[in-house]
Amino acid sequence: MARRRRILLGVSGGIAAYKALELVRLATAAGHAVRVVQTPASQRFIGAASFAALTGAPVLVDEFERDPARGAFPGDPQPDHDPLSHLELAANADIYVIAPASANTVAKLAAGLADNLLTSAALAATCPLLVAPAMNNHMWAHPATQDNVALLRARGVTVLEPPTGRLASTGEQGAGRLPEPRALLEAVEALTRPPLAAPSADLVGLRVLVTAGGTREPIDAVRFVGNRSSGRMGFALAAAAADLGAAVTVVAANVALPRDPRVAYVDVETAAELQDACAAAFGEADVLLMAAAVADFRPAASLAGKLKKAGEERLRVELERTPDILTGLAAVRRPDQTLVGFAAEHGDGALAYAREKLAHKGLDAIVVNDVARADIGFDAVHNEVTILTAGGETHVARASKAHVARAVLDVVAGLREPTAEAAGPAS
Ligand code: CTP
């Protein structure tokens, strides 16, 4: 079972409070200990009894309320003394998650106000703080909210980007939803994860540029040609590189996964935008990990408005080749840069084909996976790859993407070690 975390969950007022119940259910099922504090407004949406039943612990709302559990998390011994609840709960937590965070709560957190138990605990907490805003799309887009979010992020708080979708309050589409409970739990576990086993390779002082996700090429104002890449592999590479001490930038093409506070992100949509972002960052990079699924073709012309069906039975969309970004970067590389490509191959001959790609794209390594299998690769949690270099081949058996990422970085570190020849004259 995963390592048990003590999760303090702050629930503020909003229709999305019901999703916090599901988060608690998933977190306790995964073996974590959860305590909940609520704002008074949140109780209009979900009562304390529901959270108490799911956590098996009292729920607190008022700063001056006695905590019958004396600040202890379920499964932990209760102290002899009767501590101040907001300080004790925050002190014992491994992470403080505020989900949903209303616009009002986000503003209070940014201002450092402590006018209820939830906000007081946020000031008292020394553990990582994860804020998942959920609100009406206009409230989210308001410069006041955006400034508050930027301020919190600058202070090291992880503020999740609300996904776009149907909003309960307005019936409209827009940004402002609470991420799905499963994604919230993933973010919690990622933020409280100890680094993987002791580093077997060191990337301290190196600048690593990672591309992640899949590009979207517009057909018209609302439609696109895309692919199924989720960005999980690229984000796992970024986290593993940060664990090993690298300064990491991710060019993220349409990735809806939680962000790592140690990583800088540049968000893009199309292959052309990804190319521009890579061109801007490549000169500074020591290592390029090109994990994004870049469209090989894009609509030759994209319509500014929305394409109408107007009695047509067939529609032809003409596609044109996109530039091969990786090959373009390889053409202007410095010898001290390390370039890693990724190849999604199908079935037999995959390795031979990938080895050919390694050579003609001018790469130092290529990571090959077999997209014929449903249990690994695109949008899956696991992967199984073979890493090819000019002189070697490393097979990584089916494992989490974090583990696969680490194996890729071990190969990168090996490639960057000075060879005996380069290190000194041969005897
Ligand atoms: N790539 C790129 N620019 C493109 C297409 C792909 O930089 N326009 C990069 C990918 O990020 C990946 C590698 O090239 O690192 C994949 O190589 P590619 O030859 O495009 O692979 P596939 O599209 O999977 O294969 P094929 O050409 O065999 O269809």
Side-chain angles (χ1 to χ4, degrees), residues 211 290-296 322-327 340-345 353 357 361:
T211 66
M290 195 74 185
V294 186
D296 291 321
T322 56
D324 188 321
I325 300 166
L326 187 52
T327 305
V340 181
F342 288 73
E345 303 292 355
Y353 192 53
K357 246 180 224 178
K361 289 207 181 203

Side-chain angles (χ1 to χ4, degrees), residues 50-383:
S50 303
F51 286 113
L54 286 176
T55 57
V59 171
L60 305 182
V61 177
D62 194 289
E63 287 164 280
F64 303 104
E65 191 180 347
R66 273 195 65 249
D67 178 7
R70 301 186 163 187
F73 278 71
D76 289 344
Q78 288 188 18
D80 296 335
H81 66 286
D82 202 355
L84 277 174
S85 57
H86 61 283
L87 299 182
E88 194 66 14
L89 269 180
N92 289 336
D94 295 318
I95 185 165
Y96 186 17
V97 185
I98 301 180
S102 65
N104 188 34
T105 290
V106 168
K108 287 188 208 173
L109 294 172
L113 291 179
D115 65 339
N116 60 32
L117 178 57
L118 183 150
T119 50
S120 305
L123 277 188
T126 54
C127 58
L129 187 58
L130 174 66
V131 175
M135 61 195 72
N136 162 279
N137 51 341
H138 302 300
M139 292 171 88
W140 170 249
H142 195 285
T145 304
Q146 290 301 311
D147 285 354
N148 290 333
V149 167
L151 185 57
L152 288 171
R153 285 184 175 149
R155 285 188 199 140
V157 175
T158 302
V159 184
L160 298 180
E161 222 29 57
T164 300
R166 205 175 164 74
L167 297 164
S169 55
T170 57
E172 318 171 19
Q173 295 280 326
R177 287 163 64 92
L178 189 69
E180 287 312 309
R182 199 163 288 285
L184 289 173
L185 182 58
E186 258 179 43
V188 168
E189 291 182 341
L191 275 179
T192 49
R193 184 171 296 137
L196 290 166
S200 59
D202 216 353
L203 300 183
V204 174
L206 290 188
R207 283 157 303 184
V208 174
L209 176 63
V210 183
T211 66
T215 62
R216 293 178 178 177
E217 310 301 327
I219 297 171
D220 66 11
V222 294
R223 303 180 180 94
F224 57 82
V225 179
N227 62 66
R228 287 172 45 210
S229 175
S230 64
R232 280 181 209 281
M233 192 61 231
F235 273 33
L237 287 160
D243 284 346
L244 292 173
V248 186
T249 298
V250 172
V251 178
N254 311 297
V255 183
L257 297 172
R259 305 274 155 134
D260 186 322
R262 301 167 301 173
V263 171
Y265 296 89
V266 181
D267 283 289
V268 297
E269 285 190 21
T270 63
E273 287 169 12
L274 190 127
Q275 185 176 28
D276 290 347
C278 287
F282 183 61
E284 292 278 290
D286 300 298
V287 176
L288 170 69
L289 305 172
M290 195 74 185
V294 186
D296 291 321
F297 292 90
R298 67 179 159 224
S302 124
L303 207 74
K306 183 171 170 256
L307 202 66
K308 291 284 178 202
K309 32 187 184 311
E312 303 288 347
E313 284 306 316
R314 281 172 189 273
L315 170 69
R316 270 179 193 282
V317 178
E318 199 190 345
L319 302 177
E320 65 180 14
R321 278 295 289 270
T322 56
D324 188 321
I325 300 166
L326 187 52
T327 305
L329 294 171
V332 297
R333 67 177 289 175
R334 295 187 311 270
D336 62 302
Q337 290 177 305
T338 305
L339 270 60
V340 181
F342 288 73
E345 303 292 355
H346 212 274
D348 292 346
L351 289 188
Y353 192 53
R355 191 162 279 289
E356 197 182 300
K357 246 180 224 178
L358 174 75
H360 84 242
K361 289 207 181 203
L363 307 177
D364 299 291
I366 192 155
V367 181
V368 194
N369 67 351
D370 184 351
V371 281
R373 287 177 51 179
D375 60 331
I376 57 168
F378 278 131
D379 207 17
V381 175
H382 292 99
N383 209 351

